[in-house]
Amino acid sequence: MKTIFIVSVHGDEQAPLKVIKEHFKDRLKYLVAHPEAFKKNVRYLTTDLNRSFPGRVDGSKEERIVVKLMKKLNNYERVIDLHTATCDTLPFAILTKVTKDHLKLVSLLGLRRVVCMEKNIASGKALIDHIPIAISVECGNERSPATPSNIKKMIDDYLNNKSISLKRIEYYTVFEFLTKKTEKERLVKKIQPFKLVKKGEIVSRNNNELHTAKFNFYPILPREKNYKDILCLMAKKVCLKEFKEISSSRETLL
Ligand SMILES: [Zn+2]
């Protein structure tokens, strides 16, 4: 199937392009989504590109970029959209729809974790919402030395058609944001990505004021700087069967 890798939907996420240029330049199709933001090393210029789909010819800078991008992406059957974070995280796939084709992509990339955004969480304006078979991959911290090698391994696995069993993948669904009540509120140290937090545990502090978890959850992207007013995403872990059911009911709603 014809595949394209998308890099720098956010201009300051540059590690994936560096890896592609260094190791895969002639072995795959890729596209820098936002070259101007990339050059300036900023997330976006006027509006977040990944909140600007399906685009508008008379819209913002990014909405106009999206119109052109959509035309190009129509020529491909699979779209893999690579992102990096400002916080530490293990690599994971992000989906807003789940079909056999989406899961196949996750398994071909050798990703061990997949996160589905539930309907009330997803903006509906991201790239993956508007392309039939597209997934986003959060490759890790932009500044972490482990990130380039994780990206290289993932693309190598994909190009060599190595897939992992769906049984080896962990499935999560994001059901809520953990929001800051005050500007200075911070997560406590033991809150780590994909590490279960139990109801009643301390999750955050603001000076001497401590906040506890109201229910069990798995933190996703804790301490991500680009999520203003948000401490982390809150997910629950589900089995593959449940994951498919959540998604199929979602799909009919879309
Ligand atoms: Zn991004």
Side-chain angles (χ1 to χ4, degrees), residues 58-246:
D58 59 348
S60 72
K61 176 103 191 158
E62 278 79 6
E63 284 173 319
R64 284 179 275 136
I65 292 173
V66 164
V67 173
K68 289 184 192 160
L69 208 55
M70 289 286 278
K71 281 185 192 151
K72 288 183 189 161
L73 298 183
N74 276 338
N75 300 319
Y76 296 88
E77 290 149 296
R78 285 175 174 163
V79 176
I80 301 167
D81 165 38
L82 304 178
H83 291 254
T84 56
T86 63
C87 59
D88 287 331
T89 180
L90 296 157
F92 63 93
I94 304 170
L95 309 181
T96 53
K97 316 174 225 190
V98 182
T99 66
K100 267 186 188 161
D101 293 318
H102 288 82
L103 291 173
K104 181 76 190 160
L105 257 184
V106 176
S107 101
L108 280 166
L109 289 161
L111 291 162
R112 301 300 182 86
R113 289 163 197 84
V114 53
V115 174
C116 183
M117 299 289 175
E118 291 192 9
K119 199 173 191 298
N120 57 322
I121 297 292
S123 71
K125 292 181 173 181
L127 183 148
I128 53 173
D129 295 313
H130 294 273
I131 308 282
I133 307 171
I135 69 166
S136 290
V137 180
E138 189 53 77
C139 303
N141 190 330
E142 171 74 15
R143 291 168 199 280
S144 161
T147 299
S149 50
N150 286 339
I151 297 171
K152 181 174 181 292
K153 187 184 179 304
M154 185 178 74
I155 299 179
D156 260 333
D157 285 353
Y158 186 81
L159 296 179
N160 294 324
N161 213 18
K162 265 193 199 170
S163 61
I164 62 165
S165 160
L166 293 181
K167 287 179 192 150
R168 289 174 63 195
I169 300 172
E170 293 175 4
Y171 300 89
Y172 297 87
T173 65
V174 172
F175 60 93
E176 210 176 305
F177 299 115
L178 184 63
T179 52
K180 283 183 193 172
K181 280 150 237 70
T182 54
E183 173 73 37
K184 286 187 179 148
E185 187 176 350
R186 295 287 179 268
L187 291 172
V188 296
K189 226 179 189 170
K190 68 171 182 177
I191 303 298
Q192 293 299 326
F194 299 103
K195 195 179 157 224
L196 177 65
V197 176
K198 289 194 170 157
K199 182 181 170 182
E201 273 184 46
I202 294 164
V203 284
S204 63
R205 70 159 69 228
N206 175 17
N207 296 325
N208 292 325
E209 199 184 298
L210 299 171
H211 299 277
T212 53
K214 293 193 175 65
F215 32 73
N216 292 0
F217 72 93
Y218 289 84
I220 312 287
L221 295 172
R223 306 173 188 86
E224 169 59 45
K225 290 191 188 82
N226 288 308
Y227 295 154
K228 270 190 187 167
D229 313 321
I230 291 172
L231 294 164
C232 67
L233 310 184
M234 303 164 95
K236 56 190 169 198
K237 198 171 182 177
V238 296
C239 67
L240 177 57
K241 189 171 166 276
E242 286 172 294
F243 193 70
K244 284 180 180 165
E245 280 164 9
I246 292 164

Side-chain angles (χ1 to χ4, degrees), residues 27-80:
R27 293 173 59 200
L28 51 78
K29 290 272 177 204
Y30 70 94
L31 185 68
V32 180
H34 200 330
E36 215 178 317
F38 180 86
K39 245 177 247 166
K40 292 182 174 157
N41 196 20
V42 292
R43 190 169 171 86
Y44 56 81
L45 299 175
T46 50
T47 54
D48 187 332
L49 186 66
N50 213 22
R51 299 287 178 273
S52 302
F53 281 77
R56 238 170 18 144
V57 277
D58 59 348
S60 72
K61 176 103 191 158
E62 278 79 6
E63 284 173 319
R64 284 179 275 136
I65 292 173
V66 164
V67 173
K68 289 184 192 160
L69 208 55
M70 289 286 278
K71 281 185 192 151
K72 288 183 189 161
L73 298 183
N74 276 338
N75 300 319
Y76 296 88
E77 290 149 296
R78 285 175 174 163
V79 176
I80 301 167

